[in-house]
Amino acid sequence: MAQVPQTFFDALAVRSWCGLALEALGRAREEIDAINVYPVADGDTGTNLYLTVESATAAVEAVFEGHRAGGDRRPTLADAVRAMAHGALIGARGNSGTILAQLLRGMAQELAGDEAPAHADGEGLRTALRHAADSARQAVAHPVEGTVLTVASAAADAAGRTEGDCGAVARAAHEGARAALAETPARLAVLKRAGVVDAGGRGLVAVLAALVETLTGEAPRGMPAAGGPWSGSVRTAGPVPHARVEEAGGLGECADGGAVPEAGAGGPAFEVIYLLEAGDAAVARLRDRLDALGDSLVVVGGDGLWNVHVHVDDAGAAVEAGVEAGRPYRIRITHFGAGDVHTTGAEPAAPGERAQRAVVAVVPGEGLAGLYAEAGATTVLARPGEPPASGELVQAVRRAHAREVVLLPNDADLRHTAAAAAEQVRAEGVRVALIPTRSAVQGIAALAVHEPERRFDEDVVSMTSAAGATRYAEVTVAERQSWTMAGICQAGDVLGLVDGDVAVIGQDLTATAEAVLDRMLAAGGELVTLVLGDGTPDSVAAHLETRVREGYLAVDTVVYHGGRQGALLLIGVE
């Protein structure tokens, strides 16, 4: 069905654009991943762009839903573009996603200023595209031509030479980007040797094609219907090497606009990415420090929230620099030779060689991510209020690179998301079993009995039984007054939830945790698992260990530190 055209750029156009861009990147994802050929394994530029736009789309949908709930007719253009930019920023993955997030932020700065119009005309869209390209280039420490930055600048240049409405401007931007993309191999030797165009630039062309369809009702000619061959010459002379490769930014992804070394040259060992809450002055100092530590530096954002990306040999120093600048979180560290330490457990199989079985688990904090990884699981970090999307789970399953996968969502609210991810990877030939774990402590119990040498069905049954036999609880703080199963709580009260329902309301953390533990052990148990959240005193665990030792014979206790997991304390009883 043809898209209904938007004669001007307003909130509805933003919403349509995000949805169409997500569909376009979904169709082209594998193609874009495949042309990211240098220098390390597991190409994921297309996947990272998809996840970034997925986050932007979800943020825009949330704004529309919020206005409906509040009785408003629809959000303003400023509301929609701010949500789009913020969603992309917090969900940006890899260099390509980070650059795209800054492009969208640059547009938002022009379209959501102090005198923001109800809708943008052709002139407003031209200005927004120009500012987007310029701000993205400024975000990269050492820009290089022949990358997505070149494609974005060409789009803005072409738009700037065009008179007319939004549809005409969008068409010109797309054609300018498309022509620049075809020329990227001539501007960057690494692309010419591989016989491909720039992967990030290819993704940007797809996003601009979605903008054309939004504003004209017609998809541009020459774009693939389902990620197939493209008349714009995705591939140039020569075959693409048969290797899955991982996005590595300016060191070879060729999608970030950063410096690109000669083939075979050594580079930093780690990619470090994190969100950072910090002021402008602190970020300026951080840029200088990270630039001295490594390369492929991209820092995007503003207004106190930033997305930081850099390649370094000393990952700890890069994170420490962020701590000195402000509050880093959603920290992601990738070793280019050994997979992602936050999403990969054991050493990955050789390219093309799949492991027989793997476990993929969603975990709420860095401490638990390390614990799960030590047990051989591939992990996906979930922050409070920032649950992973199905695409992130699909990506994690792919990185596990196994014929059989056991998926542990570790959250009741993620069951449908995990089920959608499982269906997608089953279509790719992977055998997947979803165990409906509702807490990370149930996942720990399942991992404890996991035996890869058993038959798949037997292993799944054993893990499911262990998880089901584990009662779970969490201790947290109430954010607002509300009705609960245990009565009315006030903001600031300490809540003890058992199996998802509020069972205890208290004022003291230790006393509330003890009451919850006693309630759980009243039905018996052999092992108590305590997972302390970031900032929870060790004295709480010590008190509970003493309580178990003195009050419950033959019950063992194990304590872990979960990091920033949302809850003050997680409790499991097996």
Side-chain angles (χ1 to χ4, degrees), residues 1 13 21 49 52 88 99 118 132 166 179 182 222 237 290 297 329 338 361 384 391 432 480 546:
M1 179 181 295
L49 286 168
T52 302
I99 295 293
C166 286
L290 292 179
L297 174 62
Y329 60 103
V432 182
R480 63 184 67 86
T546 300

Side-chain angles (χ1 to χ4, degrees), residues 374-402:
E374 288 177 6
T378 296
T379 64
V380 178
L381 279 174
R383 296 294 185 190
E386 301 174 7
S390 61
E392 291 181 83
L393 301 187
V394 169
Q395 186 183 34
V397 172
R398 290 179 180 139
R399 288 188 176 183
H401 205 54

Side-chain angles (χ1 to χ4, degrees), residues 531-551:
V531 183
L532 299 183
D534 194 29
T536 302
D538 289 339
S539 60
V540 175
H543 177 85
L544 296 179
E545 284 185 287
T546 300
R547 173 66 178 161
V548 172
R549 184 171 57 252
E550 295 178 351

Side-chain angles (χ1 to χ4, degrees), residues 284-370:
R285 293 190 295 271
L286 175 66
R287 288 179 190 269
D288 292 339
R289 182 168 178 186
L290 292 179
D291 197 23
L293 283 174
D295 55 31
S296 296
L297 174 62
V298 186
V299 181
V300 305
D303 302 321
L305 181 62
W306 310 81
N307 192 305
V308 179
H309 174 285
V310 68
H311 293 174
V312 292
D313 280 321
D314 189 344
V319 175
E320 289 172 7
V323 172
E324 292 180 7
R327 187 178 80 87
Y329 60 103
R330 292 188 73 173
I331 301 166
R332 182 180 177 85
I333 302 171
T334 302
H335 190 296
F336 291 128
D340 185 341
V341 299
H342 277 205
T343 61
T344 305
E347 287 291 312
E353 178 185 341
R354 289 185 178 273
Q356 181 60 35
R357 189 174 308 159
V359 176
V360 174
V362 179
V363 291
E366 294 91 342
L368 283 178

Side-chain angles (χ1 to χ4, degrees), residues 39-42 242-246 336-337 347-355 401:
V40 291
D42 292 336
H242 292 286
R244 290 180 53 80
V245 290
E246 180 177 15
F336 291 128
E347 287 291 312
E353 178 185 341
R354 289 185 178 273
H401 205 54

Side-chain angles (χ1 to χ4, degrees), residues 18-37:
C18 286
L20 289 170
L22 187 64
E23 292 177 7
L25 289 171
R27 294 192 299 267
R29 179 190 59 76
E30 292 185 358
E31 173 197 325
I32 297 172
D33 284 347
I35 64 173
N36 175 200
V37 298

Side-chain angles (χ1 to χ4, degrees), residues 36 39 90 132 135 165 169 173 189 215 238 240 254 267 282 333 353 403 417 422 462 505 571:
N36 175 200
I90 64 173
S135 62
D165 61 13
V169 171
L215 295 170
V240 176
C254 306
I333 302 171
E353 178 185 341
R403 299 182 184 90
T417 300
S462 178
I505 300 175
I571 304 175

